[in-house]
Amino acid sequence: MMQLDCPWCGKRDENEFVCGGTTHIQRPPLSASDRDWGEYLFFRDNPKGLHLERWRHASGCGQWFNLARSTVTHDIVSVYAMTDPAPR
Amino acid sequence: MNYSAWSLLRGALAGHRNWSPAWAPCEPKSRYDAVIVGGGGHGLAAAYYLAKNHKVSNVAVLERGWIGGGNTGRNTTIVRSNYLYPESARLYDFSLKLYEGLARDINYNIMLSQRGLVLLAHSRHDLDAMARWANAMRMNGIDAEMLTRDQVAALAPALDLSPTARLPIVGGFTQRRGGTARHDAVAWGYARAASRLGVDIVQNCEVRGFVFESGRAVGLETSLGTIRTERIGIAAAGHSSVLAKLAGFSLPVTSYALQALVSEPIKPLLDTVVISPGTGAYVSQSDKGEMVIGAMLDLFPSYAQRGSFAVEQSIIAGTLAMFPAFSRLRMLRQWAGIVDVVHDSSPIIGPTPVPGIYINCGWGTGGFKAIPVGGWTLAHVLATGENHPLAEPFQLERFVSGRLIDEAAASGIAH
Amino acid sequence: MSSGRLGAPFGTRIDRTRKVGFQFNGRDYQGFQGDTLASALLANDVRLVGRSFKLHRPRGIFSCGVEEPTGLVDVGEGARRTPNLRATLVEVHEGLVAASVNCWPSVGFDVGAVNDWLSAMLPAGFYYKTFMWPDWHLFEPWIRRAAGLGRASGLPDPDHYEEISAVADVLVVGAGLAGLSCAVAAAAAGASTVLLASSATLGGRLEWRADPRILALVAEARRLDVRILTRTLAFGVFDHNLLCAVESLSSITAGAQRPQGVLRERLWKIRARHIVAANGAFERPMVFPDNDRPGVMLAAAAEKYAYGYGVACGRRVVIASNCDSAYAVASSLRAAGVEIAALVERRPPSDVAAAADGLRVISEAAIASVAGTRAVHGCTVVSVAGGTRPEKIECDLILSAGGYAPAVHLHSQAGGKLRWLDDSAMFVPMARRPGSSASVLAPVCSRRPTRPVMRPSLAGRSPGEAPCRPCPWAASVARSRAPTCRV
């Protein structure tokens, strides 16, 4: 069970959180094509390695934040705000 | 050499020194008519059906590790075809019918045990939803029966049927043709049958890239050299996105850990497969005596094949809510697979945006029951270039057109 | 006193003033407070304890600890029936009821033994090669009934369980010499330290010997406020160094008449910055035909039964060996009044450390066969080099001294890789990247005379000598404020 470092509440066990999937995905405008909508809704990189994802502290403060985590080792490389850009 | 009781007797007389290898280990050739990437059940079945149905035997199955070492070796061995939509019903029931004749077909005892599948209803609403589900199955020609509480009790007396149960049981429904099959036997049986028809099975061979000519895939770069071929079939489950990226296309797949665990072996206590949509847990007892338990996904992307302890606790809690007697059993082993989940919990079988590359993926948590049909339909499209009618509704395009076949919502089974 | 029992001062763990009555397979026996079910059965000359999984071969007690492969029993009745417990880990209490597994109608006369006669037809995986005609369903019920070991009760469990979390700077798994040293060093350097011991007493392989080093370390650990959990077995390491362990509470020690619902076990979830696996080593069996018969045991186990439990597992012993540890066991057992008929040494005389006077050593030899199916009554020894005639030796106990291999289970479960050592023929943990959980090996016997080998897997530490010196690695790690380590 991972331990996530919530920016507001500190280190808490993973089962207090809900994973919101890949982060930094921009919703296309409503005028976008079916193909663009389909790609936005469904297609994902699904990397084997470093994944940028968003989490919500559902059983805590309820806030969203971003994480850079390895999907292989589950090491968490960094935690950053929803409004921050992707780390290098 | 044919397997039979007679062959065992002959083996006994020869001190078991006369057996030929079940499949011939080999280095890959430089050229094949078709190459399948992924040596799990789906890939091996596809190779077998390519040779058997389509007489294409100049085929290689490339497996990064050892055959059946991925999800095929990590599932809870349940086979069933209780899906809601007609497209799914046809697909999965064709698979179950293939399982019914498979042992004779490939001359390998896959230990198909059609001991029935019982889904528990914990409320009046569950009963209503299950009646709809059972009716849909019957309309699609698949066996399904509603069960009263007493009938559930007769099928699985170890369940907590008391009024003080955490999740009281008010009834359920069953597919009597559902049950279990020995997962390793399915992999090894298909491998042996394919090998006997001339297919090369290559282990410890990792695909690292594809070779393109005029926009068409004409070969693969592997850890054992370059292999040229006309058609490539990808059957790599949780690693589908990794291969898609190497080939330059995208998939609507996310890979998650799906855990399973087995208890110590005990004398028979449970003679059917029990599934509780209420807790998400499913339990059966293997022929060796172990309780085989699985449940919901770990809900964050993972390729680790380990699983979170918090989810393992939920799985066990769900199991004990159904079977309080299991509380004193020790769990012997726990592990996870890498399941390729798509949003509508239905597979993707057919061509990809890259000419020459076809894919069979997206089975999520439900791939084991579909090994025969997955192999059958992938073999069909590799051999003919046309989708098999069963696979036609399950194309990559549906994620753009919106024609999803949403079994996640429909049959309520966590995929 | 039953024939298997040795007089005082043997039996440091038993209290001869407190007799305990228990039942095994419906018959009444007596043991002492402190006995395990295994030691009490051996003291009562009960050799046949169970049957093997497939062939239903007669099986007995093989070891004296957690590595017991064959002495499996169902303990308790009704809703408290617990299947497949290792008799070596069950502490006897007044009124304990236990039964053999996987046999019918009895362990002495088991219908399943017919499988052993048919064993030639039942090689590994035989069920894949047959049972296809007419239908697997016809054969499946019989296979299922023959399979499985113990029997679960099928009734709801009346006992309670709780869960508790803890946090530590350094978590040491294993309270033998290495583990205690690490815990003491870490605590002395200021780390909050937790130490887990799977058994009731501390000291690992030395726990029954009242070893002064152990006693000193335990006293020091308590003085430094190391949190020590006994009867606590670590079963897994999970993401971000979460170690889970199960602590056994009342079920093992309570009397038969217990109130409704006792607290039986406690699940510990311990988040640690550093985890040290100091799980010790297991003795390995020697390989020879029928080496699974009741009356074939591990050498150190026989020594522990004699000294720790006051039980002679046999009166005339043959020891099969390929390493030096067998000679110490031979001396130990002779001091307990056990006759060593021969020590069957695999190695040539040049490889062997000096043996004790009066010990008959047959060099470059191996056991070719075992006489007796329900209980060993002899063996045949042959020369490996050839030239001499096979020799039949009468004995009622054959001990295996195959050398020690580290217990790498926790390391492997945590995702660690293993490395093969050719000269010692064993797997050892491979070094992990710096900053993550470490593994510390207990001293193991090598086949060459004596240097204990301790191979901590972090860089910068050379193989040390006796590990009772303070463990500098543990101290430096405790002092560091390094980033959170990973599994």
Side-chain angles (χ1 to χ4, degrees):
Chain A
M1 165 158 66
M2 300 190 291
Q3 198 178 49
L4 306 187
D5 205 348
C6 172
W8 293 272
C9 308
K11 288 186 197 292
R12 306 296 300 173
D13 282 344
E14 152 212 311
N15 55 2
E16 291 186 12
F17 298 85
V18 171
C19 179
T22 306
T23 191
H24 301 304
I25 297 178
Q26 291 300 319
R27 188 195 305 162
L30 287 173
S31 55
S33 67
D34 282 353
R35 181 156 298 278
D36 287 344
W37 263 107
E39 292 194 4
Y40 157 68
L41 283 174
F42 302 118
F43 287 76
R44 295 288 180 269
D45 284 340
N46 192 30
K48 183 178 184 183
L50 196 67
H51 186 223
L52 302 182
E53 52 195 33
R54 55 188 190 175
W55 287 75
R56 188 170 90 86
H57 195 180
S59 303
C61 60
Q63 300 295 316
W64 286 92
F65 56 94
N66 284 329
L67 265 197
R69 180 182 65 90
S70 163
T71 58
V72 176
T73 63
H74 297 180
D75 282 1
I76 293 174
V77 172
S78 75
V79 178
Y80 57 106
M82 283 303 292
T83 47
D84 286 347
R88 324 205 116 266
Chain B
M1 109 185 267
N2 219 45
Y3 286 166
S4 64
W6 179 233
S7 72
L8 270 178
L9 179 59
R10 279 204 315 273
L13 295 171
H16 294 294
R17 281 183 280 268
N18 62 332
W19 296 101
S20 48
W23 57 87
C26 59
E27 298 283 306
K29 302 199 297 250
S30 57
R31 235 213 127 266
Y32 289 97
D33 291 343
V35 170
I36 292 167
V37 181
H42 283 254
L44 292 165
Y48 171 66
Y49 290 122
L50 259 178
K52 177 177 179 236
N53 293 347
H54 305 279
K55 306 287 180 272
V56 180
S57 59
N58 185 18
V59 173
V61 176
L62 305 182
E63 168 51 50
R64 190 170 69 114
W66 63 95
I67 59 165
N71 293 351
T72 300
R74 292 164 191 267
N75 55 71
T76 54
T77 77
I78 296 173
V79 297
R80 56 190 177 86
S81 59
N82 56 331
Y83 285 77
L84 193 95
Y85 286 109
E87 298 90 335
S88 323
R90 283 194 285 270
L91 187 74
Y92 289 101
D93 205 55
F94 184 79
S95 201
L96 188 56
K97 290 199 176 83
L98 282 175
Y99 263 128
E100 285 167 338
L102 191 60
R104 301 264 191 102
D105 186 23
I106 61 176
N107 180 232
Y108 203 97
N109 184 17
I110 59 159
M111 297 162 72
L112 174 69
S113 173
Q114 289 177 287
R115 53 182 70 174
L117 195 73
V118 173
L119 284 93
L120 302 177
H122 297 299
S123 67
R124 185 59 218 269
H125 319 288
D126 282 350
L127 281 173
D128 286 348
M130 284 182 184
R132 168 180 177 264
W133 190 351
N135 281 330
M137 288 168 66
R138 290 168 75 124
M139 286 174 67
N140 288 319
I142 300 177
D143 58 312
E145 284 167 57
M146 292 301 290
L147 297 172
T148 63
R149 189 192 160 287
D150 287 344
Q151 286 173 315
V152 171
L155 286 169
L159 278 168
D160 186 357
L161 292 141
S162 67
T164 53
R166 174 70 182 81
L167 289 163
I169 294 170
V170 301
F173 93 101
T174 181
Q175 180 183 25
R176 292 195 194 271
R177 279 168 61 234
T180 61
R182 179 113 176 102
H183 52 345
D184 293 330
V186 172
W188 300 336
Y190 269 123
R192 174 169 166 268
S195 183
R196 283 166 116 187
L197 293 176
V199 170
D200 278 1
I201 295 176
V202 187
Q203 296 179 118
N204 300 306
C205 180
E206 183 180 20
V207 170
R208 293 176 175 160
F210 294 88
V211 181
F212 294 98
E213 270 170 20
S214 316
R216 186 183 177 81
V218 297
L220 311 98
E221 304 286 6
T222 79
S223 58
L224 295 179
T226 306
I227 300 172
R228 294 193 71 91
T229 185
E230 288 167 27
R231 287 151 283 182
I232 297 168
I234 297 178
H239 279 80
S240 299
S241 302
V242 173
L243 289 160
K245 187 170 174 191
L246 289 173
F249 67 96
S250 183
L251 285 171
V253 164
T254 305
S255 297
Y256 296 94
L258 178 67
Q259 296 187 42
L261 47 158
V262 290
S263 76
E264 53 191 318
I266 54 174
K267 292 296 175 194
L269 189 58
L270 178 63
D271 295 333
T272 184
V273 181
V274 177
I275 304 180
S276 166
T279 64
Y282 33 93
V283 188
S284 64
Q285 187 169 17
S286 75
D287 290 330
K288 243 167 61 176
E290 304 146 321
M291 292 303 167
V292 181
I293 298 167
M296 70 293 282
L297 296 173
D298 283 30
L299 283 173
F300 51 89
S302 173
Y303 285 81
Q305 292 179 315
R306 289 167 60 80
S308 155
F309 185 68
V311 177
E312 189 182 342
Q313 276 192 290
S314 301
I315 296 171
I316 293 175
T319 305
L320 292 181
M322 290 196 281
F323 295 99
F326 292 1
S327 169
R328 294 179 99 87
L329 296 181
R330 270 87 47 78
M331 293 300 130
L332 267 193
R333 286 187 304 279
Q334 172 272 347
W335 62 87
I338 310 171
V339 291
D340 44 336
V341 174
V342 303
H343 297 70
D344 62 352
S345 296
S346 291
I348 303 168
I349 315 165
T352 67
V354 177
I357 299 183
Y358 302 83
I359 196 156
N360 169 19
C361 71
W363 296 96
T365 62
F368 178 67
K369 67 178 82 67
I371 283 174
V373 71
W376 188 282
T377 52
L378 181 62
H380 189 276
V381 72
L382 282 172
T384 66
E386 302 283 314
N387 287 325
H388 189 281
L390 288 173
E392 192 60 54
F394 299 101
Q395 298 305 306
L396 196 50
E397 266 306 292
R398 72 181 192 266
F399 294 96
V400 168
S401 68
R403 280 292 271 123
L404 304 181
I405 299 174
D406 196 348
E407 285 295 341
S411 45
I413 290 175
H415 254 215
Chain C
M1 183 162 66
S2 47
S3 63
R5 200 59 90 172
L6 298 168
F10 295 100
T12 56
R13 305 201 51 173
I14 58 169
D15 179 353
R16 290 174 202 265
T17 65
R18 292 164 68 189
K19 286 206 174 85
V20 165
F22 65 96
Q23 228 185 63
F24 180 62
N25 287 336
R27 284 185 60 182
D28 292 316
Y29 295 94
Q30 289 250 311
F32 294 116
Q33 187 70 33
D35 262 328
T36 60
L37 181 59
S39 66
L41 287 173
L42 287 167
N44 281 280
D45 269 333
V46 175
R47 299 300 187 90
L48 180 58
V49 168
R51 294 277 174 166
S52 71
F53 195 111
K54 179 169 78 173
L55 300 179
H56 289 249
R57 288 168 66 87
R59 290 280 170 84
I61 305 288
F62 185 73
S63 73
C64 191
V66 68
E67 68 268 38
E68 179 59 32
T70 52
L72 300 179
V73 293
D74 288 351
V75 173
E77 296 174 296
R80 288 211 166 89
R81 183 190 183 104
T82 312
N84 298 335
L85 292 180
R86 284 159 283 198
T88 51
L89 299 181
V90 174
E91 296 172 32
V92 286
H93 57 259
E94 182 64 39
L96 177 134
V97 174
S100 298
V101 304
N102 199 31
C103 52
W104 186 84
S106 73
V107 72
F109 180 78
D110 176 25
V111 159
V114 70
N115 287 358
D116 202 10
W117 305 343
L118 298 173
S119 64
M121 289 275 294
L122 309 176
F126 73 96
Y127 36 84
Y128 296 136
K129 297 184 164 83
T130 182
F131 300 135
M132 291 169 264
W133 187 89
D135 197 309
W136 165 242
H137 293 99
L138 287 175
F139 302 101
E140 191 185 25
W142 303 104
I143 297 279
R144 294 186 77 217
R145 248 172 261 165
L149 291 169
R151 199 163 49 79
S153 74
L155 298 168
D157 185 349
D159 288 335
H160 301 313
Y161 304 85
E162 69 179 22
E163 183 179 313
I164 183 167
S165 298
V167 170
D169 286 332
V170 175
L171 171 58
V172 181
V173 183
L177 205 44
L180 279 164
S181 308
C182 264
V184 163
S192 68
T193 309
V194 175
L195 176 65
L196 304 184
S198 64
S199 58
T201 53
L202 306 175
R205 227 186 309 155
L206 303 173
E207 66 179 334
W208 50 270
R209 275 198 240 220
D211 187 293
R213 294 171 295 177
I214 297 289
L215 296 172
L217 283 168
V218 172
E220 187 64 4
R222 293 201 206 282
R223 192 187 70 78
L224 291 167
D225 282 330
V226 171
R227 189 173 191 182
I228 302 175
L229 300 175
T230 56
R231 290 203 180 90
T232 302
L233 179 73
F235 63 82
V237 179
F238 300 89
D239 286 333
H240 302 178
N241 269 21
L242 179 77
L243 181 139
C244 293
V246 62
E247 180 184 6
S248 297
L249 300 165
S250 56
S251 73
I252 300 212
T253 53
Q257 308 306 323
R258 274 176 290 159
Q260 190 63 20
V262 296
L263 182 64
R264 182 165 169 251
E265 285 172 349
R266 184 181 282 140
L267 169 67
W268 284 88
K269 291 155 75 168
I270 307 174
R271 191 77 72 176
R273 278 164 26 87
H274 306 275
I275 299 173
V276 178
N279 303 103
F282 290 128
E283 188 169 34
R284 293 177 297 186
M286 294 293 288
V287 177
F288 48 88
D290 293 328
N291 68 345
D292 65 330
R293 295 297 190 204
V296 179
M297 298 178 66
L298 293 172
E303 194 186 6
K304 186 169 173 183
Y305 279 119
Y307 283 78
Y309 297 94
V311 173
C313 301
R315 292 294 182 176
R316 189 159 198 271
V317 177
V318 167
I319 304 179
S321 154
N322 67 3
C323 67
D324 296 339
S325 64
Y327 294 83
V329 170
S331 299
S332 251
L333 289 176
R334 285 165 87 195
V338 174
E339 184 195 348
I340 312 290
L343 194 151
V344 178
E345 169 64 69
R346 186 72 180 73
R347 297 171 291 174
S350 49
D351 275 11
V352 176
D357 286 335
L359 177 66
R360 181 182 173 210
V361 177
I362 311 175
S363 293
E364 280 182 292
I367 294 180
S369 67
V370 170
T373 49
R374 311 285 185 90
V376 165
H377 60 77
C379 63
T380 304
V381 176
V382 295
S383 166
V384 178
T388 56
R389 291 174 52 206
E391 181 188 346
K392 282 196 162 78
I393 305 180
E394 270 185 31
C395 60
D396 62 352
L397 180 65
I398 297 174
L399 297 182
S400 257
Y404 284 82
V408 295
H409 311 71
L410 194 65
H411 169 89
S412 296
Q413 185 275 340
K417 299 291 177 224
L418 299 175
R419 178 166 65 97
W420 176 254
L421 295 185
D422 239 347
D423 57 349
S424 336
M426 61 186 179
F427 284 106
V428 298
M430 228 160 32
R432 300 181 64 83
R433 55 187 202 279
S436 62
S437 64
S439 297
V440 177
L441 295 181
V444 295
C445 287
S446 71
R447 276 192 268 169
R448 274 173 208 76
T450 53
R451 215 179 351 259
V453 171
M454 172 148 140
R455 247 179 262 257
S457 56
L458 291 188
R461 189 144 151 67
S462 51
E465 293 182 46
C468 53
R469 285 200 316 222
C471 177
W473 170 81
S476 72
V477 138
R479 276 192 293 271
S480 81
R481 287 289 159 240
T484 310
C485 49
R486 306 283 178 256
V487 171

